[in-house]
Amino acid sequence: MTRQALDRDELLAISRRCAAVFAEAGDSSPTVARLAETAGMSQRSFYRYFPTKEDCLRPVFDEGSRAFADALAAQPPGTGLADAILQAFDLAFSTSTDEEARALMAVVFTDDVLRRVWLQATYEITELLRPSVAALLGTPEDDLRTTVVCGQAALLTIVALEHSIRDGTPLAVAARAAAAVMFGPLAEPQTATPPGAARIATK
C-alpha cells in the first residue's frame, strides 16, 4: 500500500524538530540519519521530501515567508507602503523573538550552508509579496518599481533578523531602522510618478 504524502502541517512539524537538532548542534553537522530519526522516518523517506539535509529547514523558513505575505495582503487599503510592510513584518516575525527561533537563527547566521538555504527562502518572499506590493503602489505586478520594493522588503527581513540576533536589538526596532534607510529616499517627491502610483510613507 502506497504511503500517503505528508501535508504542509506535517512537514512543518518535522522541520521544527529538525531545526531544534541544528540549533542544539550549533552548525550544519547533524547527519541525515540523526535528522531522519528525529523526523520519525527512514533516510529514504527523508530524501523523498528533502533533497539535502539542510532543506529540511525550508518548511520553517517558508512558513515565515507565507505569514509575511498573508499579513501584507491583509493590511487595510490606504495604508502607506512602508507602514504596511512594517506592520506585516511585525505580525509575521514577532515569534522570531522566542528562544527556539533565536537559537536557530543564531546558527543560521554563523553556518554558511544553513545561511544559503535561508537566503534562498527569503529571496522567494519577493514573489509572494508582489501582488500586495503592486496593489499598494498602484503599479502592475511586473513593473520595475514593484520588483524593487519587493526586493527591499526581502532585504529588510534579512537585515532586521540579522541585527536582532547579532546585536540583541529588538526585532521591531531593527526593522524600523532598516525601513528608514530603505524607504526614506523613495518617500521623497518624484518628478515622474506613474499615474495612480501611491506615495510611499515612512513610519
Side-chain angles (χ1 to χ4, degrees):
M1 182 176 179
T2 303
R3 182 178 178 181
Q4 186 175 0
L6 298 176
D7 63 24
R8 194 173 85 182
D9 289 341
E10 291 171 318
L11 287 173
L12 179 59
I14 288 172
S15 185
R16 285 173 173 160
R17 294 201 296 271
C18 291
V21 172
F22 282 116
E24 181 182 1
D27 55 29
S28 57
S29 63
T31 64
V32 170
R34 182 182 175 190
L35 293 167
E37 181 180 6
T38 298
M41 59 177 59
S42 67
Q43 293 186 48
R44 181 177 179 179
S45 294
F46 184 92
Y47 279 122
R48 176 186 176 190
Y49 294 102
F50 311 115
T52 70
K53 67 178 184 179
E54 296 82 16
D55 283 321
C56 70
L57 295 178
R58 278 301 300 259
V60 167
F61 298 149
D62 291 344
E63 184 70 9
S65 298
R66 284 190 293 268
F68 191 9
D70 290 346
L72 186 61
Q75 293 301 306
T79 305
L81 181 58
D83 281 346
I85 289 175
L86 282 169
Q87 290 167 21
F89 180 88
D90 287 345
L91 288 170
F93 296 107
S94 59
T95 56
S96 295
T97 56
D98 69 37
E99 186 175 343
E100 290 184 359
R102 292 186 69 85
L104 173 63
M105 294 311 299
V107 174
V108 167
F109 288 130
T110 58
D111 188 284
D112 289 342
V113 177
L114 299 182
R115 186 181 179 90
R116 281 196 296 272
V117 175
W118 178 67
L119 287 174
Q120 180 183 1
T122 303
Y123 175 78
E124 291 173 9
I125 289 177
T126 58
E127 292 308 307
L128 296 177
L129 298 178
R130 188 175 292 274
S132 297
V133 168
L136 288 164
L137 282 173
T139 54
E141 289 188 22
D142 61 354
D143 187 82
L144 176 63
R145 194 175 185 211
T146 303
T147 301
V148 169
V149 174
C150 288
Q152 286 181 303
L155 182 58
L156 183 145
T157 301
I158 294 170
V159 171
L161 284 169
E162 183 167 4
H163 276 268
S164 179
I165 298 298
R166 188 188 68 190
D167 305 332
T169 306
L171 190 57
V173 174
R176 277 157 180 73
V181 175
M182 293 178 191
F183 295 118
L186 291 180
E188 297 298 323
Q190 301 179 25
T191 55
T193 302
R199 296 292 184 186
I200 299 178
T202 55
K203 186 75 175 176

